[in-house]
Amino acid sequence: MPPTENPQPHIFPPHPTRRQFFQASLSAISGLALTSCGWTLGVTPTEDAPFESDGSRQAPPISGNQLYIYTWADYTDKELLDSFTAQTGIQVIVDIFDSNETMLAKVQAGGGAAYSIIYPSDYMVKRMAQLHLLREIDHSKLQGLENLFDKFQNPDYDPGNRYSLPFTWGTTGLIYNAEKLKQEPEDWDYLWENSDRLWRRIALMNDVRETIGAGLRSLGYSYNSTNSQEIAMAYEKLLRIKPTLANFTTDGWRDLILAGDLTVAMGYSFSALEVADQNPNLKYVVPKSGTSLWTDTMVIPKNAPNLKAAYAWLNFMLRPEVTVPLSERLYFATPNRAAYELLPPELQENPTLFPPEEILNKCEGILPLDPEKEKEYARYWIKLRSS
């Protein structure tokens, strides 16, 4: 990443789709580093804010009008950042991670010291709180908490929203090309039953809990199993399908399925809507045996350098007039009831974005595991990826 004297927010084309945002992240921004810790966008290392050898950002001097955010690739766009800066005078610098585990490793290694807002998933909130990495949120500094749906005001992963605020939620399922398949995939077992016919045309997520979780559900077990025999059986089943896969990727499947190089991919519900915009033959299905029901959140890290800007961001994101256009542009399922009620009917009634209760009842939130079980999952994941 070439140095710049004055860090600037990343720049995207107006009203980008998710895919345009992702491509812009890779090609239109000169300040981009691909490291073992994920993608880094928007600001380049300077003498004041260099990167460590592993790609971690050292804490730069943070001015009162700068907010560093660490988030997923699809969770901001130029319109959102410009609007926040125009209303607050605070400049936003966004860095990207590609998995919760990548984010956690960077924060634990000290590379997260620059950030005042981070976007972990539900189970990771609890884990980070247990590790004393998060600051308790002062609800007296927030406006709009009452706008959240009831289930998001007291979530299981963070009772009372002590450490987090929900940003979006959704399911994990299968995106497939209906033009190339005579039969819709109904469950996870479809991948195993048709692996020979779909040789190198299937992609699974590059995510230990999601992919091993899918293996567990295909066997009738919980996504959150702590039974060593069940986890081993899920690994063995995934190992059988491994030679037939194109790859493990959480984001990269989108361009591949649009190009016709993949026929089925495991992915998130919001991503399914984005690719369907570009190819109506691409459909989404929640496996009937069940899948994960996830919530991605916003937290303030323990050593956040700019608390004032962090609370300004949280309040900004609680406003329905901010959330509604963002949901329309980026296909977010909002946890904000006031915003949901303002969405157009075609989004409110979209079953991919807001699944019916009979589907949600078959889904599980991903729960944090104790350290020994985390290591057990990690060992099997490393063996699967390296086999």
Side-chain angles (χ1 to χ4, degrees):
M1 177 183 288
T4 58
E5 187 172 343
N6 296 306
Q8 296 294 324
H10 50 254
I11 298 174
F12 304 109
H15 304 289
T17 64
R18 288 179 176 277
R19 181 165 175 260
Q20 287 169 338
F21 172 82
F22 187 71
Q23 289 175 330
S25 303
L26 299 178
S27 60
I29 305 166
S30 60
L32 171 70
L34 182 60
T35 74
S36 61
C37 289
W39 294 283
T40 303
L41 294 93
V43 148
T44 54
T46 67
E47 291 183 359
D48 291 329
F51 284 99
E52 300 284 9
S53 59
D54 67 352
S56 301
R57 186 195 297 283
Q58 295 177 14
I62 305 295
S63 71
N65 69 340
Q66 285 184 329
L67 172 65
Y68 282 71
I69 293 177
Y70 199 25
T71 184
W72 300 89
D74 299 325
Y75 281 10
T76 60
D77 65 3
K78 183 178 186 297
E79 192 165 336
L80 178 72
L81 303 186
D82 285 351
S83 177
F84 178 76
T85 300
Q87 294 183 42
T88 65
I90 299 170
Q91 180 190 45
V92 185
I93 299 93
V94 178
D95 283 359
I96 301 301
F97 59 83
D98 61 356
S99 75
N100 283 286
E101 288 68 30
T102 292
M103 176 274 295
L104 178 63
K106 180 173 178 178
V107 172
Q108 287 183 300
Y115 304 110
S116 295
I117 293 287
I118 300 176
Y119 280 65
S121 298
D122 39 22
Y123 74 95
M124 189 55 69
V125 172
K126 190 168 184 178
R127 179 70 177 139
M128 293 177 78
Q130 290 171 341
L131 292 169
H132 306 291
L133 296 173
L134 302 181
R135 179 180 290 269
E136 287 194 44
I137 294 176
D138 184 349
H139 288 192
S140 70
K141 295 181 179 179
L142 299 177
Q143 297 178 349
L145 274 177
E146 69 280 1
N147 288 334
L148 297 176
F149 283 103
D150 291 344
K151 64 182 177 181
F152 291 110
Q153 293 192 34
N154 190 37
D156 292 339
Y157 60 85
D158 183 23
N161 289 312
R162 184 178 176 187
Y163 295 101
S164 67
L165 291 184
F167 172 68
T168 188
W169 64 279
T171 58
T172 300
L174 297 174
I175 298 95
Y176 64 97
N177 191 322
E179 188 177 38
K180 295 185 177 182
L181 295 182
K182 296 180 180 179
Q183 180 183 1
E184 174 187 282
E186 293 185 352
D187 211 343
W188 295 116
D189 272 343
Y190 179 92
L191 303 180
W192 281 266
E193 293 166 358
N194 295 274
S195 60
D196 289 342
R197 186 166 63 87
L198 296 173
W199 187 271
R200 302 291 185 177
R201 297 280 178 169
I202 301 171
L204 296 181
M205 294 177 71
N206 183 26
D207 187 298
V208 54
R209 295 298 304 281
E210 287 283 10
T211 297
I212 292 182
L216 286 163
R217 288 302 292 181
S218 74
L219 292 166
Y221 304 133
S222 168
Y223 237 76
N224 300 297
S225 176
T226 57
N227 182 302
S228 293
Q229 184 177 1
E230 293 174 359
I231 298 167
M233 290 171 66
Y235 159 74
E236 292 292 343
K237 186 168 184 179
L238 288 164
L239 190 62
R240 292 200 300 272
I241 201 178
K242 167 75 183 296
T244 72
L245 299 178
N247 55 16
F248 292 95
T249 175
T250 301
D251 289 306
W253 62 265
R254 287 180 278 190
D255 281 344
L256 294 173
I257 205 166
L258 286 165
D261 296 326
L262 290 177
T263 304
V264 184
M266 181 183 179
Y268 298 125
S269 48
F270 64 78
S271 299
L273 288 171
E274 185 273 323
V275 293
D277 260 359
Q278 297 168 74
N279 181 352
N281 290 316
L282 296 176
K283 309 293 184 182
Y284 178 76
V285 63
V286 175
K288 66 180 182 181
S289 64
T291 185
S292 70
L293 178 64
W294 47 265
T295 304
D296 285 341
T297 76
M298 300 174 289
V299 301
I300 302 176
K302 189 81 169 182
N303 298 316
N306 195 335
L307 281 177
K308 183 178 179 180
Y311 279 105
W313 182 263
L314 294 180
N315 278 308
F316 182 71
M317 298 305 298
L318 282 169
R319 290 162 53 187
E321 64 268 29
V322 171
T323 304
V324 169
L326 188 67
S327 295
E328 291 177 323
R329 293 196 307 271
L330 302 182
Y331 297 120
F332 287 139
T334 177
N336 189 313
R337 184 197 302 273
Y340 172 81
E341 292 172 352
L342 296 173
L343 288 174
E346 60 268 23
L347 288 183
Q348 288 184 351
E349 298 166 10
N350 189 305
T352 297
L353 203 58
F354 299 102
E357 285 299 320
E358 57 265 29
I359 289 179
L360 294 179
N361 289 338
K362 297 179 180 179
C363 299
E364 298 177 82
I366 296 180
L367 301 176
L369 302 168
D370 66 57
E372 287 306 309
K373 282 299 168 185
E374 282 187 357
K375 292 177 183 177
E376 186 174 349
Y377 271 77
R379 285 196 299 270
Y380 280 120
W381 182 243
I382 292 169
K383 287 172 63 178
L384 179 65
R385 293 297 313 272
S386 61
S387 62

